Amino acid sequence: MSGIPVSVETCANCGKVSGNAVKLKNCMACRLVKYCSVGCQKAHRKQHKKACKRRVAELKDEQLYSQGLERSEDAFCPLCTLPIALPMNENSGFNECCMKRVCRGCVLAAQKSGMFDTCPFCRAKMARDNASALDMARVRAEKKDPAAIEFLGSKYYFGTYGLKKNVPRGIELFTEAAELGSIDAHVKLGQAYLYGIGVAQDNAKGVHHFELAAMQGSVESRHNLGCYEVQKGNHERAVRHWLISAKMGNNFSLEYVKDMFKGGVATKEQYAEALKGYQDSIEETKSPGRDEAKKVFPVRDECKTTFGKTWGFIPAGRDD
C-alpha cells in the first residue's frame, strides 16, 4: 500500500459508491456531481440547483472571455494577409464575385497592374452594377455560401442595391447564414433582436447572437456586449469585454475603458493594457502600400470619432 488516499466517487443523492455494479454519470450541466440513476438526479435537483446554475454561469464566462481574442479570419486581407483597419468597409473593397474583402493597399496594387475591372483575389470580372452584384451573390447563395446569403440578407434588410426593403426576408436570410457559420449574420441578428427590428424584441436572443459572434472574433459584437453589460449596471463585465475589443483595434472600446478608469471602475493597469493593445493592433494594419492607398482612397479617421459616455452600440453596417 502506498498510503496515498484514493478518491471514491459516490452518487450525490444516495451515496452509492462507483463500481462494477454501479455506473455513475455526471450532471451534464455543471459536471460537479455524479448520480447513479435518473431518479437520484431528480431527487437531488432542488438541493443541487443553486450550485449547478452558479457553475454553469462560471463555465459560460470562461468560454466567453477566453475565446475570440483575435480578429476573425475574414478581417484579414486574403492577399497581403494583414488585418484590415477599422472601420473595415472604409479600408477595403468587397467583391461579390468571391465574397472576399481586399484591403485598399492591395486594390491599389492591382489597379497599378491594370486590373480595374478584375477581382484582385479570384481574377473574375467584377460586378458592373448592383444588379450584376446581386446575380453573383444569388449564384453563390444557391450553393449555400454563408457570406453570400448574409450579403443578400443585408440588401433586403436595408433596402439597398435596388431591392425593396423587406426586413422579414432579411431576417430569414440572416438566420440561414448564421446557421451556416456567418459571423456577420450573428452580429445583425443580435441587433435585430435587441431593438426588435423585424422580430419580437428579445434581449436574451440578441445577446446570444452577439456572444456567438464575439467568441469567433467579431470586434463589434464584443464591443456591443460591453455596452449591454454597462446598461445593466455590470461595469466590471463591460470592462472585460472592452479590453478585448480595444486590443483588437476598436477605438470606441478604448475610450470606454478610459472613461471607466476615470470613473474608478477600471484599474490603471487595465487602461494601460487596453491602450498598448490598441496601439499594437493599429501598427499591425499598416504597410507602405496602404499608406499610399490612403492618399488615393481617403477614409474617415476613426480615432476622431467616439460615442462618448452614452455607451452606444456599434450598428451593423449597411453595405458589405
Side-chain angles (χ1 to χ4, degrees), residues 139-192:
V139 170
R140 298 186 67 89
E142 288 177 1
K143 298 177 181 178
K144 299 301 179 182
D145 181 337
I149 296 171
E150 187 278 328
F151 174 87
L152 290 173
S154 293
K155 307 318 163 194
Y156 279 109
Y157 190 83
F158 294 112
T160 56
Y161 275 49
L163 291 177
K164 183 178 180 181
K165 187 172 183 177
N166 187 338
V167 174
R169 177 57 176 157
I171 295 294
E172 180 184 346
L173 290 169
F174 289 155
T175 302
E176 181 182 358
E179 291 172 352
L180 290 171
S182 169
I183 299 174
D184 287 340
H186 280 300
V187 177
K188 293 186 171 90
L189 285 171
Q191 293 205 342

Side-chain angles (χ1 to χ4, degrees), residues 15-299:
K16 286 183 180 178
V17 178
S18 175
N20 293 332
V22 179
K23 300 296 183 182
L24 302 181
K25 293 184 178 181
N26 284 309
C27 169
M28 295 306 293
C30 68
R31 298 185 176 274
L32 287 175
V33 295
K34 295 187 176 185
Y35 300 101
C36 65
S37 66
V38 174
C40 273
Q41 185 172 10
K42 289 182 178 179
H44 194 248
R45 182 172 297 163
K46 185 175 181 180
Q47 181 180 345
H48 175 58
K49 184 177 180 180
K50 187 174 181 179
C52 185
K53 288 182 68 175
R54 181 170 59 249
R55 182 53 182 160
V56 168
E58 290 172 353
L59 290 171
K60 181 181 178 182
D61 274 359
E62 287 176 10
Q63 183 181 39
L64 178 60
Y65 290 109
S66 66
Q67 296 183 14
L69 305 184
E70 301 290 338
R71 293 177 68 183
S72 56
E73 182 180 348
D74 59 4
F76 290 75
C77 175
L79 295 179
C80 66
T81 71
L82 294 175
I84 300 171
L86 299 174
M88 283 179 58
N89 64 332
E90 294 190 17
N91 287 284
S92 63
F94 186 79
N95 303 305
E96 296 85 357
C97 47
C98 55
M99 295 291 144
K100 296 293 184 182
R101 187 176 288 282
V102 177
C103 76
R104 297 296 188 192
C106 289
V107 169
L108 179 60
Q111 291 183 357
K112 283 184 173 181
S113 66
M115 297 172 60
F116 289 94
D117 60 352
T118 303
C119 174
F121 180 73
C122 71
R123 299 299 195 266
K125 288 292 183 182
M126 298 173 68
R128 302 182 306 277
D129 48 33
N130 289 343
S132 60
L134 291 173
D135 287 341
M136 288 179 174
R138 290 186 179 109
V139 170
R140 298 186 67 89
E142 288 177 1
K143 298 177 181 178
K144 299 301 179 182
D145 181 337
I149 296 171
E150 187 278 328
F151 174 87
L152 290 173
S154 293
K155 307 318 163 194
Y156 279 109
Y157 190 83
F158 294 112
T160 56
Y161 275 49
L163 291 177
K164 183 178 180 181
K165 187 172 183 177
N166 187 338
V167 174
R169 177 57 176 157
I171 295 294
E172 180 184 346
L173 290 169
F174 289 155
T175 302
E176 181 182 358
E179 291 172 352
L180 290 171
S182 169
I183 299 174
D184 287 340
H186 280 300
V187 177
K188 293 186 171 90
L189 285 171
Q191 293 205 342
Y193 279 108
L194 277 180
Y195 291 113
I197 302 174
V199 293
Q201 186 174 15
D202 189 326
N203 288 347
K205 282 188 178 180
V207 169
H208 176 65
H209 283 290
F210 278 152
E211 288 176 343
L212 290 176
M215 288 189 290
Q216 296 179 74
S218 168
V219 181
E220 56 265 60
S221 284
R222 183 67 70 176
H223 173 86
N224 288 345
L225 285 172
C227 294
Y228 179 76
E229 291 292 354
V230 82
Q231 289 177 358
K232 290 176 60 182
N234 300 326
H235 294 175
E236 291 182 359
R237 291 178 62 85
V239 169
R240 292 180 69 184
H241 283 301
W242 289 332
L243 270 174
I244 295 172
S245 47
K247 289 190 285 186
M248 290 195 285
N250 189 293
N251 180 62
F252 306 142
S253 297
L254 177 63
E255 289 296 317
Y256 288 0
V257 173
K258 181 179 179 180
D259 287 340
M260 286 295 190
F261 168 55
K262 290 179 177 178
V265 177
T267 65
K268 180 179 180 180
E269 290 73 21
Q270 285 177 318
Y271 177 55
E273 179 185 349
L275 180 59
K276 183 180 185 306
Y278 172 79
Q279 292 171 338
D280 289 345
S281 69
I282 297 302
E283 286 301 314
E284 290 174 358
T285 66
K286 294 181 178 180
S287 73
R290 292 182 178 185
D291 290 340
E292 183 181 358
K294 284 184 178 180
K295 300 174 183 178
V296 180
F297 312 114
V299 297

